[in-house]
Amino acid sequence: MKTSIYAGALAALLLVGCAQYAPQPIDLRADVASWQQMTRDMCRGKKSLSRNDLHRIGLMMNPELLKARLTHAKSKDKAEYAGLWEDPSMGMELERVFAENITNRSFAPSLALPVTGLPALRKKIAEQYTEADYWSMRAQERAFLTALDTLCYKLQAGRAKLALMKKRLAALRDEQQRITRLHGLGEVAFADFQTGTERLNATIKELQEQERELLTQQQELVTTLGLHPSVTGLMPAGSLPHGVPSAVSAPTPEAMLAAPAVKAQLAGYGAAEDELRAEIRKQFPELRLSGLFAVDDNKKKGALGVEFTLPLWNRNREAIAASSGERKLKQAEVLRTWREQQQQAEALAAQQKLLLTHCRSEYSRLMELEAATARQEQLFSLGETKLLELAEARHLAYERKIAYLDCLVNLLETQTKLQYLNPFYNQQ
């Protein structure tokens, strides 16, 4: 009777510390309402958000970053409980001898002693994987901010181009009306009239294409931020820098040692090394101590046993070979990532140098054309130049502005990648 009571008490005590299953059903309809409310809270009804606000929203709501944070949290929780000793075991036996009305009882507890230190190694391995997930998350954040800032520059350029196109289209319509009247009076040749018509139609087409592109980029911004698709017309505040921006310094190889992507690979390599150490230690036996307390024919008995494996032919060779190969793969990944980071830095620095040259050249030509157009406007107001010459000057300046904006966006995209490639760069 006492034995049953003790066994029941022990079982209840053991069950107290066990984890309990709690269901978490997914309610997709409720998620829609929650998503919409969160979007409203983030945007606060604004259609134009600052770069800092866009960063804050994106870092919180981007689905890929959320997945990376959950992955890190999972590995962190796993590392918290990694390296625990194997639970002791208990064997019980009840034997009844009916002919002699005798009941024999025995209890055999058993405990494994990790003399090879495997639990400590498992703890270290789990912590290194947690570190690798953390740095992978940070690398994804920097990649996200790079893509977000680049998209913002494209949206600002698209908005500026759309404004230029609308302004130029209004001027073209006015010019074409005048040219049409002059053509009817025989003062403008048909070829010049046709050129004006083609320019007008081409500008209308460019405007329509730019409107479609801008809408696509706005939708991409909403998706990138993780906002509900009901948000429309969202734009980054501010405008593109005036003039050609200064050069951005490329990160040095020493600085690249602190790159999150490199640190993530190094942590993974450290885990692979410890996994190999663990497999090698599994060649050697762990000790298992066992005890025995028995009541046999009303006589109490006790015994102590030791159990261990004999590494004669298995010696965990298959697992050691697999871990050794995995370590080589991790080493190759570290070197590949390290080299890619340096190659990217050099390539971006070379692209920046070339684009700076192009932008400065485009900007210089643009300034010249704008000055020439201003002179043509003055001469036309004085009646000393013709409408066709003014229209030509205006269109050349318009085309140069569009070309300059395209060149400037390419430069800003390259500089953004260079900035975020530097692990010590933090945009406030």
Side-chain angles (χ1 to χ4, degrees):
M1 183 66 179
K2 289 183 179 180
T3 303
S4 300
I5 294 175
Y6 291 151
L10 179 61
L13 181 63
L14 293 175
L15 288 174
V16 169
C18 293
Q20 300 296 319
Y21 170 74
Q24 291 185 348
I26 299 176
D27 189 342
L28 296 180
R29 291 183 178 86
D31 175 74
V32 172
S34 174
W35 189 14
Q36 290 175 331
Q37 183 59 47
M38 189 177 297
T39 297
R40 286 192 292 268
D41 294 340
M42 288 291 180
C43 295
R44 302 187 296 275
K46 296 181 179 179
K47 292 296 184 180
S48 179
L49 295 173
S50 68
R51 191 70 57 91
N52 287 341
D53 284 339
L54 293 174
H55 284 189
R56 175 180 55 84
I57 294 171
L59 290 173
M60 289 180 61
M61 297 190 64
N62 179 266
E64 293 301 321
L65 295 183
L66 176 60
K67 181 180 178 181
R69 284 193 291 271
L70 291 175
T71 300
H72 175 241
K74 173 186 172 183
S75 61
K76 190 176 181 180
D77 291 342
K78 181 179 178 181
E80 183 179 355
Y81 299 103
L84 298 178
W85 281 27
E86 183 181 339
D87 287 330
S89 61
M90 173 69 76
M92 293 180 288
E93 185 176 337
L94 184 67
E95 180 184 56
R96 177 70 174 175
V97 181
F98 293 102
E100 301 180 13
N101 195 25
I102 297 174
T103 301
N104 298 325
R105 301 178 298 277
S106 65
F107 301 91
S110 177
L111 175 66
L113 298 178
V115 294
T116 56
L118 283 175
L121 264 181
R122 285 195 291 269
K123 179 74 171 178
K124 186 178 178 183
I125 291 168
E127 289 174 346
Q128 287 176 320
Y129 277 125
T130 301
E131 183 182 357
D133 286 338
Y134 170 77
W135 288 115
S136 294
M137 177 183 67
R138 296 301 303 272
Q140 288 187 52
E141 287 176 352
R142 297 185 81 83
F144 165 77
L145 291 175
T146 301
L148 177 59
D149 284 359
T150 299
L151 181 57
C152 288
Y153 286 133
K154 290 180 179 179
L155 280 164
Q156 289 170 340
R159 180 171 54 193
K161 287 163 69 174
L162 191 61
L164 284 174
M165 289 175 182
K166 288 180 177 179
K167 182 178 179 181
R168 180 60 188 142
L169 184 59
L172 274 172
R173 283 172 173 154
D174 178 66
E175 291 167 5
Q176 193 59 21
Q177 287 178 357
R178 295 185 183 186
I179 290 173
T180 301
R181 287 198 297 269
L182 293 173
H183 175 64
L185 297 173
E187 297 182 11
V188 171
F190 178 76
D192 294 327
F193 168 78
Q194 188 67 20
T195 299
T197 303
E198 290 174 355
R199 279 182 179 172
L200 178 62
N201 293 334
T203 305
I204 292 174
K205 182 180 179 181
E206 288 176 0
L207 177 64
Q208 293 171 345
E209 290 175 351
Q210 185 59 40
E211 288 175 336
R212 287 196 298 270
E213 184 178 354
L214 191 62
L215 177 61
T216 301
Q217 290 172 346
Q218 287 176 319
Q219 293 170 338
E220 183 183 353
L221 178 62
V222 172
T223 303
T224 300
L225 293 175
L227 297 173
H228 191 270
S230 59
V231 176
T232 58
L234 187 63
M235 288 289 294
S239 58
L240 293 175
H242 180 72
V244 181
S246 302
V248 172
S249 299
T252 63
E254 290 75 15
M256 295 305 298
L257 290 172
V262 174
K263 284 190 171 183
Q265 293 295 340
L266 286 172
Y269 176 70
E273 285 221 297
D274 285 333
E275 285 176 335
L276 177 58
R277 290 193 185 98
E279 296 300 337
I280 290 174
R281 290 188 186 183
K282 287 179 184 178
Q283 297 177 106
F284 308 106
E286 298 277 19
L287 293 181
R288 178 174 287 277
L289 299 180
S290 59
L292 175 67
F293 176 78
V295 178
D296 188 0
D297 196 12
N298 294 325
K299 297 178 182 179
K300 296 180 179 180
K301 299 179 180 180
L304 179 65
V306 178
E307 180 184 348
F308 55 90
T309 58
L310 297 176
L312 296 179
W313 48 75
N314 187 329
R315 299 184 183 179
N316 203 33
R317 290 175 181 173
E318 181 181 357
I320 291 173
S323 292
S324 179
E326 184 66 21
R327 183 178 68 168
K328 292 178 181 177
L329 288 174
K330 294 288 187 182
Q331 183 183 43
E333 282 296 310
V334 172
L335 295 175
R336 181 186 64 81
T337 303
W338 166 242
R339 292 171 182 175
E340 281 182 351
Q341 295 282 304
Q342 294 184 74
Q343 289 170 345
Q344 190 176 5
E346 291 295 331
L348 289 171
Q351 291 175 19
Q352 178 187 224
K353 184 178 179 180
L354 181 63
L355 288 170
L356 277 170
T357 302
H358 290 175
C359 274
R360 286 167 182 157
S361 177
E362 287 288 343
Y363 187 73
S364 176
R365 288 196 293 271
L366 175 59
M367 294 297 100
E368 292 175 0
L369 282 172
E370 286 188 337
T373 303
R375 288 194 298 270
Q376 288 291 331
E377 295 281 0
Q378 292 176 351
L379 292 173
F380 181 75
S381 64
L382 297 173
E384 297 182 7
T385 188
K386 296 181 179 179
L387 177 61
L388 293 178
E389 295 173 349
L390 176 60
E392 183 69 21
R394 286 174 175 174
H395 204 72
L396 287 175
Y398 158 75
E399 290 179 335
R400 189 54 54 200
K401 287 177 183 177
I402 298 296
Y404 170 70
L405 287 174
D406 290 335
C407 187
L408 180 60
V409 167
N410 289 334
L411 173 61
L412 292 172
E413 180 178 359
T414 301
Q415 290 186 333
T416 300
K417 291 177 180 178
L418 262 179
Q419 287 171 333
Y420 283 110
L421 193 63
N422 187 341
F424 302 110
Y425 171 74
N426 289 301
Q427 180 167 336
Q428 299 299 325

